[in-house]
Short mmCIF file of all heavy atoms in Angstrom, two decimals:
data_model
loop_
_atom_site.label_atom_id
_atom_site.label_comp_id
_atom_site.label_asym_id
_atom_site.label_seq_id
_atom_site.Cartn_x
_atom_site.Cartn_y
_atom_site.Cartn_z
N ILE A 7 18.15 13.68 3.65
CA ILE A 7 17.60 12.45 3.10
C ILE A 7 18.21 11.29 3.85
O ILE A 7 19.28 11.41 4.46
CB ILE A 7 17.86 12.30 1.58
CG1 ILE A 7 19.36 12.28 1.27
CG2 ILE A 7 17.13 13.36 0.78
CD1 ILE A 7 19.68 11.87 -0.16
N GLY A 8 17.53 10.17 3.80
CA GLY A 8 18.05 8.97 4.43
C GLY A 8 17.95 7.80 3.49
O GLY A 8 17.09 7.77 2.61
N LEU A 9 18.85 6.85 3.66
CA LEU A 9 18.80 5.59 2.91
C LEU A 9 18.04 4.60 3.79
O LEU A 9 18.54 4.18 4.84
CB LEU A 9 20.21 5.10 2.60
CG LEU A 9 21.04 6.05 1.74
CD1 LEU A 9 22.47 5.53 1.61
CD2 LEU A 9 20.41 6.23 0.37
N ILE A 10 16.82 4.30 3.36
CA ILE A 10 15.88 3.55 4.20
C ILE A 10 15.50 2.24 3.53
O ILE A 10 15.21 2.21 2.34
CB ILE A 10 14.59 4.39 4.43
CG1 ILE A 10 14.93 5.80 4.93
CG2 ILE A 10 13.61 3.67 5.34
CD1 ILE A 10 15.66 5.86 6.24
N GLU A 11 15.47 1.17 4.30
CA GLU A 11 15.02 -0.12 3.79
C GLU A 11 13.50 -0.20 3.87
O GLU A 11 12.91 0.10 4.92
CB GLU A 11 15.65 -1.26 4.59
CG GLU A 11 17.12 -1.43 4.32
CD GLU A 11 17.71 -2.64 5.02
OE1 GLU A 11 17.01 -3.28 5.83
OE2 GLU A 11 18.88 -2.94 4.74
N ARG A 12 12.88 -0.58 2.77
CA ARG A 12 11.42 -0.77 2.71
C ARG A 12 11.12 -2.05 1.96
O ARG A 12 11.91 -2.50 1.12
CB ARG A 12 10.75 0.39 1.96
CG ARG A 12 10.90 1.76 2.58
CD ARG A 12 9.97 1.95 3.74
NE ARG A 12 10.01 3.35 4.19
CZ ARG A 12 9.37 3.78 5.26
NH1 ARG A 12 8.67 2.97 6.00
NH2 ARG A 12 9.46 5.05 5.61
N HIS A 13 9.94 -2.60 2.21
CA HIS A 13 9.47 -3.76 1.46
C HIS A 13 9.34 -3.37 -0.01
O HIS A 13 8.89 -2.27 -0.33
CB HIS A 13 8.13 -4.25 1.99
CG HIS A 13 8.18 -4.69 3.41
ND1 HIS A 13 8.71 -5.90 3.79
CD2 HIS A 13 7.79 -4.07 4.56
CE1 HIS A 13 8.64 -6.01 5.11
NE2 HIS A 13 8.08 -4.91 5.59
N VAL A 14 9.68 -4.28 -0.91
CA VAL A 14 9.62 -4.02 -2.35
C VAL A 14 8.16 -3.93 -2.81
O VAL A 14 7.84 -3.16 -3.70
CB VAL A 14 10.39 -5.10 -3.13
CG1 VAL A 14 10.22 -4.94 -4.62
CG2 VAL A 14 11.86 -5.05 -2.76
N TRP A 15 7.29 -4.73 -2.21
CA TRP A 15 5.86 -4.62 -2.53
C TRP A 15 5.05 -4.77 -1.25
O TRP A 15 5.50 -5.38 -0.28
CB TRP A 15 5.42 -5.64 -3.59
CG TRP A 15 5.58 -7.09 -3.21
CD1 TRP A 15 6.59 -7.91 -3.59
CD2 TRP A 15 4.70 -7.88 -2.39
NE1 TRP A 15 6.41 -9.16 -3.05
CE2 TRP A 15 5.25 -9.18 -2.32
CE3 TRP A 15 3.52 -7.62 -1.71
CZ2 TRP A 15 4.66 -10.21 -1.60
CZ3 TRP A 15 2.92 -8.65 -0.98
CH2 TRP A 15 3.49 -9.93 -0.94
N VAL A 16 3.88 -4.15 -1.25
CA VAL A 16 2.95 -4.24 -0.13
C VAL A 16 1.52 -4.31 -0.66
O VAL A 16 1.24 -3.85 -1.77
CB VAL A 16 3.05 -3.03 0.85
CG1 VAL A 16 4.37 -3.00 1.57
CG2 VAL A 16 2.78 -1.72 0.13
N THR A 17 0.65 -4.89 0.14
CA THR A 17 -0.79 -4.80 -0.10
C THR A 17 -1.36 -4.01 1.06
O THR A 17 -1.13 -4.35 2.23
CB THR A 17 -1.45 -6.19 -0.17
OG1 THR A 17 -0.84 -6.94 -1.23
CG2 THR A 17 -2.95 -6.07 -0.44
N VAL A 18 -2.05 -2.94 0.73
CA VAL A 18 -2.62 -2.05 1.75
C VAL A 18 -4.14 -2.14 1.67
O VAL A 18 -4.72 -2.06 0.58
CB VAL A 18 -2.16 -0.59 1.52
CG1 VAL A 18 -2.83 0.36 2.52
CG2 VAL A 18 -0.65 -0.49 1.64
N LYS A 19 -4.77 -2.30 2.82
CA LYS A 19 -6.23 -2.34 2.90
C LYS A 19 -6.70 -1.07 3.59
O LYS A 19 -6.06 -0.59 4.53
CB LYS A 19 -6.67 -3.56 3.71
CG LYS A 19 -8.18 -3.68 3.87
CD LYS A 19 -8.56 -4.95 4.60
CE LYS A 19 -8.41 -4.76 6.09
NZ LYS A 19 -8.97 -5.87 6.88
N GLY A 20 -7.78 -0.49 3.11
CA GLY A 20 -8.35 0.70 3.73
C GLY A 20 -9.72 0.96 3.13
O GLY A 20 -10.28 0.13 2.42
N LEU A 21 -10.24 2.12 3.43
CA LEU A 21 -11.52 2.55 2.86
C LEU A 21 -11.26 3.66 1.86
O LEU A 21 -10.38 4.49 2.06
CB LEU A 21 -12.46 3.06 3.96
CG LEU A 21 -12.76 2.09 5.11
CD1 LEU A 21 -13.63 2.77 6.16
CD2 LEU A 21 -13.42 0.82 4.60
N ASP A 22 -12.07 3.69 0.79
CA ASP A 22 -11.95 4.81 -0.15
C ASP A 22 -12.80 5.97 0.36
O ASP A 22 -13.38 5.90 1.45
CB ASP A 22 -12.33 4.39 -1.58
CG ASP A 22 -13.80 4.04 -1.77
OD1 ASP A 22 -14.63 4.31 -0.86
OD2 ASP A 22 -14.14 3.49 -2.83
N ARG A 23 -12.89 7.05 -0.42
CA ARG A 23 -13.60 8.25 0.03
C ARG A 23 -15.09 8.00 0.24
O ARG A 23 -15.75 8.75 0.93
CB ARG A 23 -13.40 9.39 -0.96
CG ARG A 23 -11.96 9.81 -1.04
CD ARG A 23 -11.72 11.00 -1.90
NE ARG A 23 -12.54 11.01 -3.11
CZ ARG A 23 -12.55 11.98 -3.98
NH1 ARG A 23 -11.77 13.03 -3.79
NH2 ARG A 23 -13.30 11.93 -5.05
N SER A 24 -15.62 6.94 -0.36
CA SER A 24 -17.04 6.61 -0.20
C SER A 24 -17.27 5.60 0.92
O SER A 24 -18.41 5.18 1.14
CB SER A 24 -17.59 6.04 -1.52
OG SER A 24 -17.39 6.95 -2.56
N GLY A 25 -16.22 5.20 1.59
CA GLY A 25 -16.37 4.26 2.70
C GLY A 25 -16.34 2.80 2.28
O GLY A 25 -16.59 1.92 3.10
N ARG A 26 -16.03 2.54 1.01
CA ARG A 26 -15.94 1.15 0.53
C ARG A 26 -14.53 0.62 0.80
O ARG A 26 -13.55 1.34 0.63
CB ARG A 26 -16.22 1.08 -0.97
CG ARG A 26 -17.67 1.38 -1.34
CD ARG A 26 -17.86 1.19 -2.84
NE ARG A 26 -17.02 2.10 -3.59
CZ ARG A 26 -17.46 3.18 -4.25
NH1 ARG A 26 -18.74 3.46 -4.29
NH2 ARG A 26 -16.62 3.95 -4.90
N GLU A 27 -14.47 -0.66 1.17
CA GLU A 27 -13.15 -1.26 1.40
C GLU A 27 -12.42 -1.44 0.08
O GLU A 27 -13.00 -1.87 -0.91
CB GLU A 27 -13.28 -2.62 2.08
CG GLU A 27 -11.92 -3.20 2.46
CD GLU A 27 -11.99 -4.50 3.22
OE1 GLU A 27 -12.52 -4.48 4.36
OE2 GLU A 27 -11.51 -5.51 2.68
N VAL A 28 -11.14 -1.06 0.07
CA VAL A 28 -10.30 -1.22 -1.11
C VAL A 28 -8.98 -1.84 -0.68
O VAL A 28 -8.58 -1.74 0.48
CB VAL A 28 -10.03 0.13 -1.83
CG1 VAL A 28 -11.29 0.67 -2.46
CG2 VAL A 28 -9.40 1.14 -0.90
N ARG A 29 -8.34 -2.46 -1.64
CA ARG A 29 -6.99 -2.98 -1.44
C ARG A 29 -6.12 -2.44 -2.56
O ARG A 29 -6.54 -2.44 -3.71
CB ARG A 29 -6.99 -4.51 -1.48
CG ARG A 29 -7.64 -5.10 -0.25
CD ARG A 29 -7.81 -6.59 -0.36
NE ARG A 29 -8.68 -7.03 0.72
CZ ARG A 29 -8.29 -7.85 1.68
NH1 ARG A 29 -7.07 -8.34 1.69
NH2 ARG A 29 -9.12 -8.19 2.63
N VAL A 30 -4.96 -1.97 -2.19
CA VAL A 30 -4.01 -1.46 -3.17
C VAL A 30 -2.79 -2.36 -3.12
O VAL A 30 -2.17 -2.52 -2.08
CB VAL A 30 -3.61 0.01 -2.85
CG1 VAL A 30 -2.56 0.49 -3.84
CG2 VAL A 30 -4.82 0.91 -2.83
N LYS A 31 -2.48 -2.95 -4.28
CA LYS A 31 -1.25 -3.74 -4.41
C LYS A 31 -0.23 -2.82 -5.06
O LYS A 31 -0.44 -2.34 -6.16
CB LYS A 31 -1.49 -4.98 -5.25
CG LYS A 31 -2.42 -5.97 -4.56
CD LYS A 31 -2.66 -7.20 -5.38
CE LYS A 31 -3.59 -8.14 -4.63
NZ LYS A 31 -3.90 -9.34 -5.39
N ALA A 32 0.84 -2.55 -4.35
CA ALA A 32 1.82 -1.58 -4.82
C ALA A 32 3.21 -2.19 -4.80
O ALA A 32 3.53 -3.01 -3.94
CB ALA A 32 1.78 -0.33 -3.95
N GLN A 33 4.02 -1.74 -5.75
CA GLN A 33 5.42 -2.18 -5.75
C GLN A 33 6.33 -0.98 -5.99
O GLN A 33 5.88 0.09 -6.38
CB GLN A 33 5.65 -3.25 -6.80
CG GLN A 33 5.28 -2.85 -8.21
CD GLN A 33 5.31 -4.04 -9.18
OE1 GLN A 33 5.33 -5.19 -8.76
NE2 GLN A 33 5.31 -3.74 -10.46
N ASN A 34 7.60 -1.20 -5.71
CA ASN A 34 8.65 -0.20 -5.95
C ASN A 34 8.35 1.14 -5.30
O ASN A 34 8.12 1.21 -4.10
CB ASN A 34 8.92 -0.09 -7.46
CG ASN A 34 9.29 -1.44 -8.06
OD1 ASN A 34 9.97 -2.24 -7.42
ND2 ASN A 34 8.83 -1.71 -9.26
#
């Protein structure tokens, strides 16, 4: 295992399984 620094929150843009654009706002 490693102790890794990551952003506390991110917004990720991509396509869902149907090809529609989605954005996921994630934290922790």
Side-chain angles (χ1 to χ4, degrees):
I7 60 169
L9 299 174
I10 308 299
E11 288 185 353
R12 297 282 188 186
H13 299 283
V14 174
W15 62 261
V16 293
T17 301
V18 176
K19 179 176 82 170
L21 303 176
D22 67 11
R23 296 185 322 176
S24 303
R26 291 184 299 252
E27 186 176 296
V28 292
R29 289 172 191 243
V30 177
K31 293 180 180 178
Q33 57 189 15
N34 304 324

